[in-house]
């Protein structure tokens, strides 16, 4: 099994993800090759919480353009971890 820091890249900070924190759901950018078992183990190890459910989704990169130059942002993978009632991750927005 890989190290937890290799699986979890960073938290997703957006209006929707911050709203999900009230429902005890936390959103992370994760390694695209990581599976749900590795993600669950990484969240439990790093934050010392109990994870009930992991949902994952792949986010396709978008075409971007600056002047005459075109490029594409990277494809990424997002995971939403639902924690046991009573558990929470402190300073989630400050990670």
């Amino acid at each position: 099994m890989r190290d937890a820091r290799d699986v979890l890249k960073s938290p997703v900070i957006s209006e929707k993800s911050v709203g999900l924190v009230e429902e005890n759901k936390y959103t992370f950018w994760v390694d695209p090759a990581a599976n749900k078992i590795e993600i669950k183990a990484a969240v439990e190890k790093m934050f010392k919480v109990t994870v009930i459910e992991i949902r994952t989704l792949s986010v396709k990169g978008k075409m971007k353009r600056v002047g005459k130059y075109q490029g594409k942002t990277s494809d990424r993978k997002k995971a939403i971890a639902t924690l046991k009632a009573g558990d929470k991750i402190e300073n989630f927005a400050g990670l």
Side-chain angles (χ1 to χ4, degrees):
M1 198 121 353
R2 294 185 283 171
D3 186 38
R5 288 184 213 96
D6 294 335
V7 176
L8 298 178
K9 299 296 183 188
S10 65
V12 176
I13 306 299
S14 65
E15 280 187 54
K16 187 172 184 176
S17 67
V18 171
L20 286 174
V21 170
E22 295 172 2
E23 300 173 26
N24 221 16
K25 296 179 181 181
Y26 295 86
T27 310
F28 299 95
W29 291 118
V30 297
D31 181 36
N35 60 31
K36 290 183 179 187
I37 297 167
E38 291 175 328
I39 296 167
K40 180 179 178 178
V43 171
E44 288 179 342
K45 181 179 179 185
M46 284 187 74
F47 300 108
K48 312 264 188 301
V49 293
T50 303
V51 176
I52 296 172
E53 180 183 35
I54 296 287
R55 292 186 178 202
T56 60
L57 59 131
S58 295
V59 180
K60 299 287 183 189
K62 296 180 181 180
M63 293 299 295
K64 296 290 183 177
R65 178 181 168 143
V66 178
K68 68 177 184 177
Y69 301 103
Q70 270 185 311
K72 181 178 172 279
T73 59
S74 300
D75 296 339
R76 301 188 282 180
K77 188 173 188 178
K78 189 173 10 177
I80 301 171
T82 304
L83 303 184
K84 185 179 81 171
D87 285 354
K88 66 179 185 175
I89 297 174
E90 295 294 329
N91 297 326
F92 181 72
L95 297 174

